[in-house]
Amino acid sequence: MKWGVIVFPGSNCDRDAHDALGRILKQEVRFIWHKETELGDLDGIILPGGFSYGDYLRSGAIATFSPVMNEVISFAKRGGIVIGICNGFQMLTESGLLPGALRQNHSLSFICQEQPIRVERTDTRFTNQYESHQVMGIPIAHHEGSYFLADNELKRLEDRGGVLFRYCSTDGEVDANSNPNGSVNNIAGIVNEGGNVLGMMPHPERRCDDLIYHSDGRLIFESVIEEFASA
Amino acid sequence: MKVIVEVMPKDGILDPQGKAVQQALHQLGYGEVRNVRVGKRIVLNVEGSDKTIALKRAEEMADTLLANENVEGFKVHLAGGKA
């Protein structure tokens, strides 16, 4: 697959994503500066983590109006694969490609830790390489990661199976104690109705190399690659 | 002219910052304080003299960028005027 990693001023996980896709997963991958207005020939896009525009106003809000985002939005609307991680997830909600908003952690602290998350579905293009309800430790590193969606919309999201990952305990228990930031229904990652846009706060690109703890995060990208190859 | 945009977390949405401020105020002896909400005040210095247009455009700005309708509400008014 041909991948693009969008680089905003203040992105800091762009290189990790590039390394995971290029060096580890042997994909064709290139950086795309946020001022570019054409994406070229791409099969997948990563909106990486970081602090685009210093998180001014609201995390991800200003990046949403970067020149390249028009292209990213129309790419997503045409069914192109977009993965937004952390700050990238915030951009996806800000741009309306995904519902809801990411707000300050209830603790008001920046949280940086290995966080167990549970895979809620394995029949999607982002999770088909996981075992049912697999639990994996994936790092979170955010200050605005508390996912919020109003009750009626939350029900719609849950009913359509839009939640792909939830924060949980190491044995897979999803409850208030295993919720690090106050996200509604322990939501850590969601997919759009078209099934082609994934947003998640945890950083799977940091768990793609066995040299660094383990490589469970890699299965997200491998799921996409697998599905793409068989399509 | 100066246009003020006030952005506040919507009612019913937990405001962790407001909660923390309230706790601190209680510790300082201001126990009468309830339901503290922390928002943002954005001051726009705008060229032109038509107030109606300035307010209308500030509303658009708030809709598009300054507030996130999922979690925030906003009010727009001229400096010195009423919301």
Side-chain angles (χ1 to χ4, degrees):
Chain A
M1 284 179 73
K2 295 191 202 79
W3 293 84
V5 177
I6 314 282
V7 183
F8 299 89
S11 293
N12 64 10
C13 301
D14 44 340
R15 272 155 219 280
D16 301 54
H18 189 288
D19 183 63
L21 288 166
R23 182 180 63 85
I24 299 171
L25 290 160
K26 311 292 178 214
Q27 301 293 294
E28 204 179 316
V29 57
R30 63 190 169 87
F31 290 118
I32 299 172
W33 182 235
H34 75 118
K35 289 218 162 141
E36 288 187 32
T37 49
E38 274 176 37
L39 297 172
D41 183 19
L42 286 182
D43 305 309
I45 291 175
I46 307 284
L47 295 174
F51 300 86
S52 58
Y53 295 92
D55 270 354
Y56 295 154
L57 192 67
R58 294 180 308 277
S59 308
I62 297 180
T64 301
F65 296 96
S66 271
V68 77
M69 282 304 285
N70 281 332
E71 292 307 304
V72 174
I73 290 166
S74 44
F75 179 82
K77 289 190 171 158
R78 288 197 305 271
I81 293 160
V82 179
I83 301 177
I85 299 165
C86 198
N87 195 208
F89 184 14
Q90 293 161 341
M91 291 173 206
L92 290 173
T93 58
E94 282 286 341
S95 65
L97 286 173
L98 289 175
L102 281 313
R103 305 189 63 238
Q104 276 190 324
N105 299 337
H106 282 194
S107 64
L108 291 177
S109 301
F110 188 96
I111 304 172
C112 184
Q113 65 188 33
E114 185 90 355
Q115 170 66 45
I117 59 173
R118 191 177 78 186
V119 181
E120 297 296 282
R121 286 178 65 187
T122 53
D123 59 343
T124 78
R125 66 164 23 122
F126 298 107
T127 54
N128 58 59
Q129 298 296 303
Y130 286 101
E131 306 285 329
S132 175
H133 281 121
Q134 186 170 332
V135 175
M136 57 180 163
I138 299 286
I140 54 171
H142 58 243
H143 188 256
E144 274 94 26
S146 182
Y147 183 73
F148 177 83
L149 190 61
D151 286 345
N152 52 341
E153 286 181 81
L154 182 61
K155 186 175 181 307
R156 208 178 312 142
L157 175 73
E158 292 281 5
D159 288 350
R160 71 169 170 84
V163 180
L164 297 195
F165 304 104
R166 279 186 225 273
Y167 302 114
C168 64
S169 65
T170 46
D171 52 8
E173 225 29 70
V174 170
D175 56 23
N177 292 329
S178 55
N179 188 339
N181 54 21
S183 292
V184 291
N185 294 5
N186 284 42
I187 289 172
I190 60 172
V191 69
N192 69 337
E193 277 188 75
N196 60 305
V197 178
L198 166 71
M200 62 190 297
M201 288 312 292
H203 286 271
E205 81 283 13
R206 296 187 190 175
R207 288 294 177 272
C208 286
D209 190 332
D210 283 318
L211 281 173
I212 307 168
Y213 299 99
H214 62 80
S215 60
D216 286 353
R218 187 164 134 174
L219 296 177
I220 292 177
F221 305 106
E222 284 179 345
S223 294
V224 177
I225 295 162
E226 183 70 24
E227 198 255 10
F228 187 83
S230 63
Chain B
M1 105 191 77
K2 239 178 216 178
V3 182
I4 312 289
V5 181
E6 279 173 21
V7 181
M8 293 297 294
K10 275 185 182 166
D11 288 345
I13 286 183
L14 179 74
D15 174 15
Q17 223 183 145
K19 216 171 134 189
V21 170
Q22 177 169 319
Q23 273 171 11
L25 288 172
H26 285 183
Q27 277 167 24
L28 290 168
Y30 301 102
E32 72 273 30
V33 178
R34 294 283 177 274
N35 194 26
V36 176
R37 315 285 284 170
V38 176
K40 291 182 197 128
R41 177 182 169 91
I42 300 164
V43 179
L44 307 169
N45 284 293
V46 183
E47 288 176 7
S49 55
D50 189 325
K51 292 175 182 171
T52 317
I53 289 177
L55 286 171
K56 189 171 167 282
R57 288 177 63 80
E59 295 235 353
E60 275 173 33
M61 295 177 215
D63 257 338
T64 317
L65 174 66
L66 303 179
N68 179 339
E69 59 166 4
N70 285 310
V71 286
E72 295 169 325
F74 65 85
K75 279 180 188 168
V76 168
H77 58 91
L78 294 167
K82 282 183 186 163

